[in-house]
Amino acid sequence: MTPNPLIDRAAAGLLIVLTALFAAREWGAGVPGGIIEGLSLLVLLLLGLNVRLTRKAFILVGLALTLWLALTGEDWLGHARRGLEKAAFVAAFFVALSTLRNVAETSPALRKGGAFLAAQPPGRRYGALTIGGHLFALLINYGSISLLGSLASNAARAEADPVIRGHRTRRMLLAIQRGFIASLPWSPLAFSLAITTALIPGASWAGAAVPGVISAVIITMTGWAMDSIFKPRLGRPAPKREVEGSWSLMLPLVLLLFLLAGMVSGAHFLTGIRVVGVVMVVVPAIAAVWAVIQRVGLGREGSLRGRARGYVTGELPGYRGEIVLLMMAGYIGTVGAPVLQPLLMSLGFSPEALPTWAVLVILVWIVPVLGQFGMNPILAVTLISPLFPSPEALGIPPAAMVAAITAGWAMSGATSPFTATTLLIGSFGGVSATHVGLRWNGVYFLVATSILTGWVLLFGLVLG
């Protein structure tokens, strides 16, 4: 099916309007009730016309769940409106982040920094790419895997020995992937933290950041330790190559991250506005200023009008399938929870009867397990989290539940063959996403998730 460009442009325009309205409401502007939900529905209908059948299936599932609620006498309209509001939130957050990704992809400084990381010698390559992957992920999210993955695979192709080339490709790509997933438990620009803090009563980024950073350290250090212990012992070492450039090439990325972190956290603490609301304003503003700076350096090639036209008519519509998936994951999870709860009760499963430690363990493991069966993390978390007691009822801080969920979300990014991370890593490595998740990351997942479970229990039951 060939997408209709007029429909794509209309949907892209409405997505930008939806993002502006959602951000305005977060900042206290009086947005009339129902407009955001109505725009969300209209965007889904327009995008749904231009996506493949597998994405249309998610829309049909959402309609079926809504009809189920209506037939069972539930407040189907209220649940549907909350689902559309959740879908709008996901779409607005995605669009805000995509503006920064759009500008970052044309930054010569970031590309030079990424190439420097990929060219590191074997002794420090894994650590450099893990840390670099983490830093790039904080700025451009999934774009970090695309940027560093392409640079790493190109660097590996320069190796003539096929055995060394295969090992190098695998280790470099895993370092990038593990650096990326380590950002999910704490980054204010990550969907994992934005969604989870919106679902858990009393949760906030400020409260969840510190335990999330500890989870990130566990994820990265476990990967580094296992890579060091189990790295292949070759009959002859790979020839050493001179690395061009210096670590000063990473300075623009570090400065940009400090600027982003300072503006987001500063606005959050000064205004009391949720971090997601701050991100929806600060990130596009930084992207706009960055685009102007690039315009000075690139000349006519960096035309702001051309960039804006390309974003609205090309880049944003190009995400149509991903946007529909993410929006419908938020909607299905919201309307599906009241359908799932009575079904579980009829089977004798009562989350309220579980001890606190069992709830935390389940929350760590359930997202990566469901990911093996194709369930998107947004859908899994939105669907399952309302079924469990609140942190107050469990006697733990909200940050403990957030830490458990985001830890599992991160490990799902390492193992689920249906997530963008494993799909991208598999494409760069020339293997399937299932191979990446189970063969390359299987043992790592068991070790890292076990350590993360211990950390979540320690934080939730002792330190918290």
Side-chain angles (χ1 to χ4, degrees), residues 112 115-116 119-120 241-246 249:
K112 288 178 182 177
F116 174 74
Q120 291 302 301
R241 294 185 175 87
E242 291 294 326
V243 179
E244 297 182 3
S246 67
L249 290 171

Coordinates of all heavy atoms in Angstrom, one line a residue, residues 112 115-116 119-120 241-246 249:
K112 N 31.3 13.0 14.4 CA 32.8 12.8 14.7 C 33.0 12.2 16.0 O 33.9 11.3 16.2 CB 33.5 14.2 14.6 CG 33.6 14.8 13.2 CD 34.2 16.2 13.3 CE 34.3 16.8 11.9 NZ 34.8 18.2 12.0
A115 N 32.2 8.5 15.6 CA 33.3 7.8 14.9 C 34.5 7.6 15.8 O 35.2 6.5 15.7 CB 33.6 8.6 13.7
F116 N 34.8 8.5 16.6 CA 35.9 8.4 17.5 C 35.7 7.2 18.5 O 36.6 6.4 18.8 CB 36.1 9.7 18.3 CG 37.2 9.6 19.4 CD1 38.5 9.6 19.1 CD2 36.8 9.6 20.7 CE1 39.5 9.5 20.1 CE2 37.8 9.5 21.7 CZ 39.1 9.5 21.4
A119 N 36.2 3.8 16.8 CA 37.6 3.5 16.4 C 38.5 3.2 17.6 O 39.7 3.0 17.4 CB 38.1 4.7 15.6
Q120 N 38.0 3.1 18.8 CA 38.8 2.8 20.0 C 39.5 1.4 19.9 O 38.9 0.5 19.3 CB 38.0 2.9 21.2 CG 37.5 4.3 21.6 CD 38.7 5.3 21.7 OE1 39.6 5.1 22.6 NE2 38.7 6.3 20.9
R241 N 45.7 -0.2 15.6 CA 45.5 0.9 14.7 C 45.5 2.2 15.5 O 45.0 2.3 16.6 CB 44.2 0.8 13.9 CG 44.1 -0.4 13.0 CD 42.9 -0.4 12.2 NE 42.8 -1.4 11.2 CZ 42.4 -2.7 11.4 NH1 41.9 -3.0 12.6 NH2 42.3 -3.6 10.4
E242 N 46.1 3.2 14.9 CA 46.1 4.5 15.5 C 44.7 5.1 15.5 O 44.0 5.0 14.5 CB 47.0 5.5 14.8 CG 48.5 5.1 14.9 CD 49.0 5.3 16.3 OE1 48.5 6.2 17.0 OE2 49.8 4.5 16.8
V243 N 44.3 5.7 16.6 CA 43.0 6.3 16.7 C 43.1 7.8 16.4 O 43.9 8.5 17.1 CB 42.4 6.1 18.1 CG1 41.0 6.8 18.2 CG2 42.3 4.6 18.4
E244 N 42.4 8.3 15.4 CA 42.4 9.7 15.1 C 41.6 10.5 16.0 O 40.5 10.1 16.3 CB 42.0 9.9 13.6 CG 42.9 9.2 12.6 CD 42.4 9.5 11.2 OE1 41.5 10.3 11.0 OE2 43.0 9.0 10.2
G245 N 42.1 11.7 16.4 CA 41.3 12.5 17.2 C 41.6 12.3 18.7 O 42.4 11.5 19.1
S246 N 40.8 13.0 19.6 CA 41.0 12.9 21.0 C 39.6 12.9 21.7 O 38.6 13.1 21.0 CB 41.9 14.0 21.5 OG 41.2 15.3 21.4
L249 N 36.6 15.4 21.3 CA 35.5 15.3 20.3 C 34.2 15.1 21.0 O 33.1 15.3 20.4 CB 35.8 14.2 19.3 CG 37.0 14.5 18.3 CD1 37.3 13.2 17.5 CD2 36.6 15.6 17.4

